[in-house]
Amino acid sequence: MKNLSSWKYCSPETSGFHEVVSPDNSACKTTWAFRLNLEKNETHILTHEALELNGVVISGRAILVFNGNKYFLEERDAFYLPAKETAKISTDSRLIMFFGGAPYHDMGKFFVRKYDLSLPVGDIHQIHGKSPWQREVFMTVAQQDEASRLICGVTEGEPGQWTSWPPHQHTADLEEIYCYFNIPKPQFALHLASRFPGQIEEVFTVSTGDFVIIPEGYHPTCGMPGVRSCYFWIMAAHQLTGRRYDLAVNDPNYG
């Protein structure tokens, strides 16, 4: 695809479960992104015949029922749902959730992950980089979790600083989608995109609800002064053997 300007998607704010990005409407081949909006006392039955799903609460509270068990999810809490399984989601507030999806290959079991930054730095809670590009990462589906193609997480940068720096790419093995949150307009962050080292092909201004696909290439971000670059990221492996978190290749032009 020559025109990178089509890589940005504005997710709907209307009530319901919305498919925002898929291989049918984007350059992605194995990655889907969805948004769920529920008003108070509304309910959604979540299931998919072919995709594994990872959902994270962006705002509000979710009441999740799976296999007769009830879970209460607050902001940044997440869950993983294999294909052909069914979960009921309801809320006593206004709820926004983002979901990542990828083809399911009978590898992956339902789980809930509570957002907990008091966990020691390790497989789930991570800190990357240093000022001015330090960011905190919480894995909603880690490489160590049982899943088919997905690796997902939440990244929050420092105010006015960079994330995903130095610029890196994992084109041969994984594609990705960044789903931005906690950046209410007129605040914004910048998402830079390029398929070539040492170049910038496109710069997107992004706020809450904006999704940017990364089918290939480099993808650093930076918040405006005083604003954190915050996003739920969805990575999906092209092949099952490529479901790894350590395959990024840095741009040699930037240290």
Side-chain angles (χ1 to χ4, degrees):
M1 180 179 293
K2 294 182 179 180
N3 187 1
L4 274 64
S5 63
S6 64
W7 285 13
K8 177 181 172 180
Y9 294 72
C10 298
S11 63
E13 298 183 3
T14 54
S15 184
F17 187 71
H18 305 279
E19 182 180 273
V20 182
V21 178
S22 76
D24 291 331
N25 70 357
S26 76
C28 291
K29 298 177 181 178
T30 60
T31 316
W32 279 252
F34 305 87
R35 175 171 171 167
L36 173 66
N37 303 313
L38 293 180
E39 300 298 331
K40 184 178 180 179
N41 298 325
E42 286 188 330
T43 296
H44 177 74
I45 304 301
L46 179 70
T47 188
H48 201 287
E49 283 298 305
L51 301 182
E52 57 180 349
L53 298 171
N54 178 222
V56 61
V57 176
I58 298 301
S59 65
R61 296 178 298 275
I63 303 165
L64 176 71
V65 178
F66 176 79
N67 199 24
N69 296 310
K70 184 180 290 188
Y71 306 87
F72 296 91
L73 306 184
E74 304 289 338
E75 290 185 3
R76 315 289 194 283
D77 292 345
F79 71 93
Y80 172 88
L81 185 71
K84 297 184 173 62
E85 300 283 4
T86 301
K88 183 174 77 170
I89 303 170
S90 57
T91 183
D92 58 4
S93 62
R94 188 174 191 275
L95 173 68
I96 299 174
M97 295 187 70
F98 293 164
F99 289 82
Y104 182 65
H105 300 275
D106 296 321
M107 292 180 288
K109 296 180 181 179
F110 171 85
F111 67 85
V112 168
R113 175 149 296 144
K114 302 292 287 184
Y115 186 75
D116 184 2
L117 294 184
S118 70
L119 290 174
V121 173
D123 292 340
I124 305 301
H125 176 213
Q126 302 177 5
I127 296 177
H128 295 267
K130 59 183 180 180
S131 184
W133 60 85
Q134 182 170 299
R135 64 272 193 191
E136 199 154 23
V137 177
F138 191 84
M139 309 293 286
T140 55
V141 178
Q143 178 180 321
Q144 294 78 13
D145 293 321
E146 187 176 348
S148 292
R149 296 200 190 203
L150 285 178
I151 303 175
C152 304
V154 173
T155 292
E156 299 190 50
E158 294 299 313
Q161 297 193 7
W162 291 90
T163 75
S164 293
W165 192 275
H168 63 269
Q169 55 87 9
H170 33 69
T171 304
D173 302 288
L174 301 136
E175 58 189 20
E176 193 167 18
I177 303 173
Y178 279 10
C179 308
Y180 287 89
F181 67 92
N182 263 24
I183 314 173
K185 291 181 178 178
Q187 297 177 1
F188 63 88
L190 299 176
H191 179 117
L192 285 63
S194 178
R195 296 162 294 179
F196 310 103
Q199 299 184 32
I200 300 299
E201 291 187 87
E202 191 75 37
V203 179
F204 301 101
T205 58
V206 290
S207 300
T208 295
D210 290 331
F211 294 7
V212 181
I213 65 171
I214 307 162
E216 57 179 314
Y218 304 91
H219 42 278
T221 84
C222 186
M224 65 176 274
V227 170
R228 300 174 185 269
S229 181
C230 300
Y231 45 91
F232 169 57
W233 50 268
I234 308 156
M235 285 203 300
H238 293 303
Q239 305 294 331
L240 299 184
T241 54
R243 186 179 173 265
R244 290 170 48 189
Y245 192 58
D246 59 348
L247 298 174
V249 179
N250 288 343
D251 186 331
N253 296 277
Y254 305 103

